[in-house]
Amino acid sequence: MRILLVEDDPTLRAQLRAGLADAGYAVDEAANGVDAQYLGETEPFDAAVLDLGLPALDGLSVLRRWRAGGRTLPVLILTARDSWHEKVTGIDAGADDYLAKPFHMEELLARLRALIRRAQGLASPLLQCGAITLDTRSGRVSQDGQPVNLTSHEFRLLAYLMHRPGQVVSRTELIEHLYAQDFDRDSNTIEVFIGRLRRKLAPGVIETVRGMGYRLAAPS
């Protein structure tokens, strides 16, 4: 999953980036509203963490412009603890959730997981495909009740597919959502990780749809 992190404080931004990366997210950053608006309009993020107090263009204006332009990515806004009016205005502007500063990283991650699940119509933090279960909270994967050991890249790939069960996902979409903008993207890498996942999972779970991409399907 790929996250846009918008925060002008360099120390907090570095802390948030580290926490998000440790949780398995690919992270792109913006330190001002102008860059944030541009990235949000041109790159396919799975969610955004958006501070409201930004230079050049404030966070509410960024959010309103995203929504006016038809951008539907889930947005978690960061507000000052006592700024209840910012929370109300942010929700009315199109935010999906808010978090007051200071906050615990665990809460931010939990709220992000919930936003990403809801965007795909999923309610439970436990994602299921046949005998395969992926726990979005702990990062654990099991098959027929037995743990499946995955690398971070394999987990991110499986998690993206499991958030879209039955949907055909192209190689380009996987590259765009699994790697940050500054990552050296190589389409062959996706094929390598698909091959590794197939060796660790039940046959037929990851289908190749010729000329289109991959699809996660529970074996009948």
Side-chain angles (χ1 to χ4, degrees), residues 32-138:
N32 63 73
V34 172
D35 290 345
Q37 181 189 342
Y38 175 77
L39 284 171
E41 289 175 346
T42 58
E43 294 291 328
F45 295 103
D46 295 291
V49 177
L50 176 65
D51 185 33
L52 295 185
L54 298 171
L57 184 67
D58 67 272
L60 281 176
S61 296
V62 171
L63 179 57
R64 290 190 179 105
R65 293 182 186 187
W66 283 346
R67 296 308 190 222
R71 298 293 287 155
T72 60
L73 78 163
V75 175
L76 172 63
I77 58 173
L78 304 180
T79 72
R81 175 173 292 278
D82 297 324
S83 298
W84 63 266
H85 61 283
E86 284 190 343
K87 301 171 188 175
V88 173
T89 306
I91 297 296
D92 285 343
D96 299 275
D97 199 358
Y98 66 85
L99 191 57
K101 298 178 182 179
F103 51 82
H104 293 288
M105 190 67 199
E106 291 79 6
E107 182 179 3
L108 183 144
L109 292 173
R111 289 176 181 271
L112 266 184
R113 289 193 297 267
L115 289 181
I116 292 171
R117 288 198 312 270
R118 288 202 296 267
Q120 298 301 320
L122 304 171
S124 172
L126 293 174
L127 307 183
Q128 194 85 31
C129 180
I132 299 169
T133 300
L134 185 148
D135 190 332
T136 60
R137 299 162 300 185
S138 65

Side-chain angles (χ1 to χ4, degrees), residues 3 6 15 18 24 29 80 96 108 127 129 140 147 150 178 196:
I3 304 297
V6 187
Q15 292 171 346
E29 301 177 37
D96 299 275
L108 183 144
L127 307 183
C129 180
R140 293 189 177 94
L150 301 179
L178 297 181
R196 291 180 182 176

Side-chain angles (χ1 to χ4, degrees), residues 16 21 31 41 46 96 121 135 161 165 168 170 189 201 204:
L16 291 174
E41 289 175 346
D46 295 291
D96 299 275
D135 190 332
L161 292 174
V168 178
S170 70
T189 303
L201 303 176

